[in-house]
Structure formats: structure tokens, C-alpha cells
């Protein structure tokens, strides 16, 4: 594994340093070849680094900045006022080669806007896309893009998402000729919005792409496609619905276990409790592949460098996954592979 | 309970008579005040009615028709060639007052197109919408519209969906001032597509509507809103993703139980099996509220009569729910209530 440095926007996300720093420390513990630059308010950061071992502290640099980007008055307003903010400085660290990738839980549109300006899209890319892995019922994964960076897409943009997505899936899952599908509201050719039907025609013509047709929302988890292509509006709605449903059912299952005291006070308790634990373990193992935390970290695909967007609401475990995702993409040289893959197509 | 007759498109859906007729017979058994007109190929229908009691057989009329609508060459082509088809005849039975509602598992666009022409929208309604109940984590329900009948909606159409949805929710859940939200990809005012932002302004101005803002896909099941408004494209993607995720996790849970034989052949088997059954029952009870079968039957809201669209892939239990939904709407006089509710607004 190669040595690498990640730039972290400590202030992004709903919980800021409280989540991002413990996750960073965990990442450093797990990955001895990792260094991290923390961008944020040093007064808020320092308490979390107080009792750190010298060994770990050496691998962290704190880059103080007081400003945090909010996207409350529109994207262009936010971009204009982004100078000196934790998110922008983290991206600039990547631009200036002080870090190889950036991770932020801040606003998606601002992150994409800044990354496009500071890091540049790869040659020929109209619009970078937000991509993420999703679990499938057979224990494998698919990838889905765009997830919210481009809410309105032309057929040509969707074609480019399909091309980038296919290369990403090849590298993520070590696949040859990954199956590409377009998200739509039916599987018949005539269904859906015009840009999707036009995209279907364009993608079909590309023999380098293994296009398998439309996919509906109810089959997203069934592993029918390796790459699911959609505009950012539909993708965001689908992904969040998927996550929300999984999370709610997950919670329901967990809470069922918490009812246990009510059985108690009976002679059976001693027998039932171990059984319950055994069964719950079994279920959780099956279910844990659907834990949305594991799929945190959507990547901005189509840029010259790796930028990973964490969920704003990510917990420590989820933010750790986003960091690991960024590290994996740098080590796998994803931007280079996308670039050379597109040249061949 | 009032006596009523439902018109059933036997041939619609992926499985046709194999599903629709057993579900009809079950509905008749459960609801002694119900009669059913079956529209479809009598040769395919009759085997299912062969061993029926005289009592039940008397409450069924078979209306033979050979044609089934397919939507393979575009909506207008399908509509032009719809004469004498099972779906069209079922709707005509409602128009001619031989039945009070129609149920079909056929193509949504064709069903909506025919129903609009033959049954007419209510006065002032631009576009009827497809609405369905969805479960919430607290054991209650929300409603969501549109789910695929109108893939492209203006702000004014979304406002009308909000108005119809609020009246529907008032009647469904016996609510006063139900909470209305717009499905979007963020909760900030500036997020999402222009028609949604414009709709938010229009809805906000209606003091009769209890507008609570945007809702994201991950909160659909959390009961934050009673009425979730969206265009048919986003709604269809969200609903199907929700159903697919629930169904897949449901299957996963069920299959975990099937592993039981591997524990077997031990002395513990006799103890563990009842425990497992007890626990599974507990889980299934919690989970069964999320069983998508229970939410089959989307209604075409905004027409002068009740039309219910069943999932094409509905099983017998799910199709039965669609029949029950139609009966409930007729008995609750939903079209009248929508109409008089809109006059007041």
C-alpha cells in the first residue's frame, strides 16, 4: 500500500468535528500508511487531539480556518464567499498536491462547484457525477450515478455517466463488460422521460457498453445491473428512499430485540435469551450488508482528483467508510483509469 | 355496509386470471355485500369458477371479451385499439352504472387515459393522479401522489395534487389539517427542480393546506408528513424503490429462518425451534406492516368514479387488497368528497 495524505473538511456535515475527527483517528489507526490534514476551527479540533499518542499526532496536521460554507442563499453566492472556508481549503490542498484526495460532508452542490473550478473535470467530461456503491441481495454490489450533483441531465450527459460508471464498476468489482441499465419507471422502450429514452438510444449504439435496458426502482437491490444510470434528481430520491427504508427496517429489527425484558422473570428466560442472541446475530449478519453506513461516501466521478462526499448525517462509522473509500480510489488511481478508459471509448 | 358491484379487468397484470379470480373469490367470501363483474376471456375464466358454490357463483358475472390492451406501440395507439378490451369494458361498466368501481392490473398510462375519457375528471381537475398509502415506522400511514400517471408536472398540477391528497388523507385517516410535504432532494428552499420550488410557493399561500415543506426520500417512512406530493416520475421511482427494498429485506429475513435444518440433529433442536418460531413471529408482526402486498392498489384520484390500479406483479393477497381498497373508496364516497372539498378550497 502506498503512503497517502487526505484532506478533510472537519466542519462539514451535521455534526462537524464530533464525528469527523474520531473517524479520522480510527482511519489512521487502521491504515498505517495514511496521513490526514484537518481543515477547520482549531479551537474546536484541539480537544479531540489532546490525549493522542505522539505517534498518531505526528500523522495529523491541523489547518486552521474559521469559515464554514453554508448553501442558504444559492450556489453562486456560496461559491463567491467560499474563500478561506474549510471545504475550499481542503480542495485547494488537493489542487496544490499537499493531499491526494479530499473528503467533505458539506453541501453537495457547493462541493461539486468548487471541485469543478479548482480541480477541473477530466478532458471531455461535460459534468462530473456523484457515484456510490449500493448493496445487492446476493451479497454483491452495484454502482449508481448521478446521485444529486446534476439534477437535470441531457441524453448525452447520461451517456457519459454510463461510460464513466462502467469504468468505475470494472475497477470496483473487477468486472469485464459490466451490465449498464438506465433507471426508469417501466422496462418498455416507450416509458419515461424523453431524455432517458434518447439516452437509451445513444448508449445502445456504444458497443463498448453492455447495455441491458431500463431498470425500475424495485429492482435496484437485485443485482440485475452493475451500473445504474440516472439524473441526479431521480438518483437522489432513489438512493435516499433505499437508505431510509433499510435504516427504518433495521431500527425496527433492533428494537424488537429490546423488548426482551417483558418475557423475563420466567423460568424460560435463561433458555430464551441465548437463543434470541443467536438468532439476532444471524439476522444482523444477513442484514448488516444493507446497513447504509457501509455505503457512505459518494465520489465525484470525472474530476482530475478524488473527491468524496460524505452524508451530512453520517455517524463515525459511516464517515470512516467515506475516508476509506477516498483512500481506495487514490490507490486504485481511479481518475487516471476513467481518463484513459474514456480515450479508448 | 352498502351493497356494491365492482368491475374487474381479469386479464390485466402479469399473471391474469390465475391471480385475479382467486383474489375476487376471496373478496366475495369476505364481503357479503359485494358482487363482481369479471371482464376477460371466458374460456380462461371458467375453470376457476367450476367448483364454486351456487351462493358464490350467483354474485359473479362473466363478461366475455377476447382482447387485452398492450402498451407496446405508444399510448395513443393503445387507446385507439382499446375497443372491446377487458380493461375498457370494465371501465365502461362503471360509466354505464353497472358497477361502482373498476380494478385493473393493466398498463397505468392506458388505464388513466381510458378512465379520463370514459369517466371524466372532476370539475376543475387538470390531471387525475395516482395515489397510494404507504406505511410509516410508527404503525400509521401516509399517502403519496402522483405515482406514475403524470411524469411531468407543472407547479399548478402539483398544487392540485396537494389539495386532492389532503382531502383523501382526511378521509383515509380521519385527520384534520393533514400535513402536506413536497418530495425533494433537500429541505432547503433553494433545492431541487424549478417546478417543485414554484409549487412550494403556491401551496404555502393556501391557508387551507397544512404545508410543512420539503421531504427527502429517507424520511418517507418516518411519518413526518401525511401527504407526500411529487411528480409521477419521482413518485414512481420512490415508491418502487421503497417496495423493492422492503420486499428484499423481507425475503432476506424469511430465508434466514429457512437455515434452521443446519442446527438440527442436536439435542437442542427441540428447544430452539419453538424459540425460533416465537421470535420469527414477533419479527414478522413488526415487519408485516411493511409488506408491500398490503399497500397494493393505487387509486386514480380526481375522477368522477373510483378506479384502482393494481401492481402488474401483484400476487393474490395483494390483488385482494386492491379490491378492498376500491370497495372502501366507493363506500366512503371519495370522488364526491374530493369534489366538494375542492369547491370549498
Amino acid at each position: 500500500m502506498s503512503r497517502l495524505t487526505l484532506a478533510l473538511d472537519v466542519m462539514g456535515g451535521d455534526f462537524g468535528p464530533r464525528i469527523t475527527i474520531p473517524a479520522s483517528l480510527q482511519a489512521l489507526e487502521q491504515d498505517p500508511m495514511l496521513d490526514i490534514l484537518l481543515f477547520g476551527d482549531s479551537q474546536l479540533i484541539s480537544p479531540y487531539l489532546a490525549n493522542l499518542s505522539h505517534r498518531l499526532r505526528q500523522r495529523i496536521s491541523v489547518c486552521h480556518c474559521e469559515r464554514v460554507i453554508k448553501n442558504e442563499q444559492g450556489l453562486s453566492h456560496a461559491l463567491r464567499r467560499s474563500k478561506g472556508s474549510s471545504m475550499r481549503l481542503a480542495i485547494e490542498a488537493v489542487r496544490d498536491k499537499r493531499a491526494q484526495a479530499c473528503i467533505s460532508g458539506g453541501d453537495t452542490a457547493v462541493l461539486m462547484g468548487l471541485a469543478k473550478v479548482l480541480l477541473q473535470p477530466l478532458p471531455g467530461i461535460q459534468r462530473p457525477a456523484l457515484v456510490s456503491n449500493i448493496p445487492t441481495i446476493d451479497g454483491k454490489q452495484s454502482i449508481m450515478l448521478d446521485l444529486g450533483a446534476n439534477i437535470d441531465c441531457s441524453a448525452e450527459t447520461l451517456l457519459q455517466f454510463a461510460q464513466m460508471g462502467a469504468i468505475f464498476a470494472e475497477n470496483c468489482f473487477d468486472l469485464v463488460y459490466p451490465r449498464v441499465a438506465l433507471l426508469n419507471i417501466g422496462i418498455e422502450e416507450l416509458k419515461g422521460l424523453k431524455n432517458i429514452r434518447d439516452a437509451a438510444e445513444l448508449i445502445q449504439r456504444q458497443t463498448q457498453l453492455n447495455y441491458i435496458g431500463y431498470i425500475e426502482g424495485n429492482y435496484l437491490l437485485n443485482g440485475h445491473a452493475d451500473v445504474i444510470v440516472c439524473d441526479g434528481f431521480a438518483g437522489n430520491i432513489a438512493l435516499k428512499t433505499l437508505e431510509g427504508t433499510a435504516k427504518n427496517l433495521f431500527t425496527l429489527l433492533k428494537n424488537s430485540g429490546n423488548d426482551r425484558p417483558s418475557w423475563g422473570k420466567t423460568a424460560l428466560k435463561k433458555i430464551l435469551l441465548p437463543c434470541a442472541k443467536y438468532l439476532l446475530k444471524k439476522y444482523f449478519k444477513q442484514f448488516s450488508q444493507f446497513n447504509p453506513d457501509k455505503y457512505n461516501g459518494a465520489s465525484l466521478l470525472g474530476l482530475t482528483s478524488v473527491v468524496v462526499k460524505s452524508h451530512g448525517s453520517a455517524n463515525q462509522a459511516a464517515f470512516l467508510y467515506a475516508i476509506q473509500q477516498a483512500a481506495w480510489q487514490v490507490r486504485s488511481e481511479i481518475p487516471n483509469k476513467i481518463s484513459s478508459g474514456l480515450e479508448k471509448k
Side-chain angles (χ1 to χ4, degrees), chain A:
Chain A
M1 254 187 336
S2 57
R3 180 129 223 114
L4 68 91
T5 305
L6 299 179
L8 219 117
D9 169 12
V10 171
M11 313 303 284
D14 303 345
F15 311 111
R18 193 149 52 94
I19 287 299
T20 54
I21 302 181
S24 308
L25 299 179
Q26 224 183 322
L28 290 170
E29 292 274 12
Q30 288 178 9
D31 185 342
M33 300 296 275
L34 185 66
D35 294 317
I36 291 186
L37 312 180
L38 298 175
F39 290 86
D41 185 336
S42 58
Q43 279 214 326
L44 292 175
I45 294 172
S46 50
Y48 292 94
L49 308 180
N51 299 317
L52 227 53
S53 71
H54 178 67
R55 187 182 52 80
L56 219 55
R57 186 65 189 82
Q58 270 190 316
R59 291 162 57 202
I60 300 174
S61 305
V62 177
C63 312
H64 175 69
C65 42
E66 275 165 12
R67 302 198 48 240
V68 179
I69 296 186
K70 295 253 186 287
N71 185 9
E72 284 161 350
Q73 289 166 280
L75 180 59
S76 54
H77 183 268
L79 293 179
R80 272 199 310 275
R81 296 172 60 88
S82 62
K83 270 203 178 151
S85 67
S86 57
M87 187 197 280
R88 179 164 181 153
L89 289 175
I91 300 174
E92 284 176 351
V94 178
R95 180 196 61 190
D96 303 340
K97 313 282 183 216
R98 286 178 289 129
Q100 280 86 61
C102 152
I103 301 115
S104 172
D107 184 86
T108 307
V110 180
L111 185 66
M112 177 60 97
L114 282 176
K116 260 162 79 175
V117 173
L118 298 169
L119 302 179
Q120 302 290 323
L122 290 168
I125 292 294
Q126 291 166 8
R127 300 208 211 167
L130 205 61
V131 67
S132 183
N133 295 16
I134 57 170
T136 61
I137 196 83
D138 56 0
K140 300 183 179 170
Q141 293 182 39
S142 304
I143 69 148
M144 192 162 156
L145 74 168
D146 178 55
L147 298 173
N150 308 278
I151 58 172
D152 213 354
C153 294
S154 68
E156 289 73 25
T157 305
L158 292 172
L159 165 64
Q160 213 160 61
F161 292 172
Q163 291 169 324
M164 291 197 294
I167 301 167
F168 191 67
E170 279 166 22
N171 285 284
C172 264
F173 313 134
D174 207 12
L175 288 177
V176 178
Y177 215 42
R179 296 157 302 162
V180 176
L182 278 162
L183 181 62
N184 204 344
I185 61 170
I187 50 167
E188 301 85 356
E189 266 184 32
L190 291 158
K191 289 273 176 169
L193 299 163
K194 188 171 182 312
N195 61 333
I196 297 175
R197 296 198 304 269
D198 291 347
E201 276 193 35
L202 291 180
I203 296 173
Q204 229 155 6
R205 272 188 236 144
Q206 306 281 325
T207 49
Q208 309 94 321
L209 291 175
N210 181 11
Y211 178 64
I212 58 161
Y214 295 144
I215 188 167
E216 293 181 271
N218 41 343
Y219 292 107
L220 290 178
L221 295 182
N222 290 55
H224 293 184
D226 303 303
V227 181
I228 296 152
V229 176
C230 49
D231 68 54
F233 191 82
N236 191 284
I237 297 277
L239 186 74
K240 283 185 180 156
T241 302
L242 198 160
E243 286 174 352
T245 310
K247 211 156 200 162
N248 273 316
L249 295 187
F250 216 66
T251 307
L252 208 62
L253 191 68
K254 261 187 185 161
N255 292 347
S256 311
N258 291 343
D259 294 349
R260 272 177 273 163
S262 64
W263 320 342
K265 291 173 193 165
T266 73
L268 274 173
K269 196 177 168 184
K270 281 193 178 160
I271 303 168
L272 281 175
L273 267 178
C275 299
K277 276 189 185 161
Y278 176 81
L279 284 169
L280 283 174
K281 222 170 158 183
K282 239 173 120 62
Y283 289 138
F284 277 123
K285 208 177 154 191
Q286 291 256 16
F287 266 65
S288 69
Q289 60 165 310
F290 285 94
N291 183 352
D293 290 350
K294 284 198 177 173
Y295 299 90
N296 184 40
S299 312
L300 272 56
L301 212 60
L303 293 167
T304 52
S305 302
V306 174
V307 178
V308 170
K309 159 79 176 92
S310 163
H311 247 298
S313 64
N315 59 22
Q316 186 179 325
F319 201 85
L320 176 62
Y321 277 108
I323 297 174
Q324 289 166 338
Q325 173 66 227
W328 174 81
Q329 284 191 39
V330 172
R331 289 187 176 124
S332 307
E333 299 180 30
I334 293 297
N336 274 347
K337 285 183 180 152
I338 299 279
S339 180
S340 54
L342 285 176
E343 274 170 31
K344 277 186 231 150
K345 288 197 193 276

